[in-house]
Amino acid sequence: EKKVGISVDEWGTWFTCEPGTNPGFLYQQNTVRDALVASVTMDIFNKHSDRVRLACLAQVVNVLQSVILTDGAKMIKTPTYHVFHQYRHHQGAQLLQSSLSGVEEIGIGEWKVPELSESVSEKDGIITITLSNLSATDSKELDIQLTENKTYEVIESTIVTNSDMHAHNTFEEPENVKEAAFDGYEVNGNTMKLTLPACSVVELRIR
């Protein structure tokens, strides 16, 4: 009856800590790969928001899948940070039913997952669509069909991507991976066509 909520007290990636750092502090770099993990995980939480009441990234600064890394007075945003920024519009919104068809799986053995992921919500008359392409090599073309028979317009569209899934930000290159404007779509009434580059997370806000 869904009277009991699920609290995911820690989620995220956990890899070998960075060379030269204190192993007990679990300081690790954060890549486009981790940004994709964040997007897929938050899509799952969104789609089960009637059950998942709390979900905490482990952790926020300098430990495991952080959104911020620091070194003394220096600070950089990680690829995961930029995905969190894209997904902020889902917070406090109403989940909309959505699904993908014709999606293949990628991975090895029991670790296969769908190569595309999505979640959709609406708040104040604006629909937020987040889409991820987990393929490390191939772009994907999508047709989006909205059920309401009206002409929609895109008011915001962003992407987090890099052709190298291991790309990351450093204190020397703090904006190697960042949120950027996305224009790889066409709108025709209540349908859209778009191309998702490999290793990408796209956010579309439409009304």
Side-chain angles (χ1 to χ4, degrees):
E1 297 176 356
K2 300 183 181 180
K3 293 180 180 179
V4 178
I6 294 176
S7 295
V8 185
D9 59 348
E10 289 190 357
W11 66 269
T13 56
W14 189 344
F15 303 114
T16 302
C17 48
E18 289 297 293
T21 64
N22 185 324
F25 293 165
L26 303 180
Y27 181 100
Q28 67 182 39
Q29 186 50 265
N30 191 280
T31 68
V32 170
R33 167 203 58 198
D34 304 308
L36 291 168
V37 170
S39 67
V40 170
T41 303
M42 288 194 285
D43 283 340
I44 293 170
F45 292 155
N46 285 346
K47 289 198 160 194
H48 295 85
S49 56
D50 57 345
R51 182 63 62 88
V52 178
R53 308 295 171 80
L54 176 75
C56 303
L57 179 67
Q59 274 108 7
V60 178
V61 180
N62 286 348
V63 181
L64 302 185
Q65 192 173 353
S66 304
V67 296
I68 290 172
L69 297 178
T70 68
D71 180 13
K74 301 176 183 177
M75 183 184 79
I76 57 173
K77 301 170 183 176
T78 69
T80 294
Y81 172 96
H82 294 293
V83 168
F84 263 75
H85 191 259
Q86 289 179 302
Y87 275 66
R88 73 193 186 281
H89 297 294
H90 285 308
Q91 188 172 17
Q94 176 65 45
L95 179 71
L96 298 183
Q97 183 176 359
S98 63
S99 62
L100 293 168
S101 61
V103 177
E104 298 180 359
E105 291 190 331
I106 57 174
I108 299 173
E110 62 180 309
W111 305 108
K112 287 186 177 181
V113 296
E115 63 182 351
L116 299 178
S117 176
E118 43 64 51
S119 60
V120 184
S121 68
E122 183 176 13
K123 183 178 181 180
D124 298 330
I126 299 175
I127 297 174
T128 298
I129 303 172
T130 46
L131 298 157
S132 303
N133 179 5
L134 305 190
S135 173
T137 56
D138 300 329
S139 62
K140 301 296 176 181
E141 294 185 356
L142 269 69
D143 293 319
I144 297 177
Q145 177 70 58
L146 298 152
T147 56
E148 189 172 352
N149 188 18
K150 58 177 273 188
T151 297
Y152 289 87
E153 64 171 338
V154 176
I155 62 171
E156 180 183 2
S157 56
T158 66
I159 186 170
V160 175
T161 188
N162 192 289
S163 58
D164 179 6
M165 68 184 295
H166 302 295
H168 56 277
N169 295 331
T170 65
F171 296 102
E172 294 73 31
E173 295 183 90
E175 296 192 345
N176 187 39
V177 179
K178 63 180 181 179
E179 189 177 3
F182 175 71
D183 60 3
Y185 62 85
E186 296 179 3
V187 182
N188 184 14
N190 63 340
T191 64
M192 297 181 65
K193 290 182 177 292
L194 66 149
T195 301
L196 293 178
C199 295
S200 69
V201 183
V202 165
E203 176 221 30
L204 296 166
R205 301 191 72 216
I206 64 176
R207 63 182 175 194

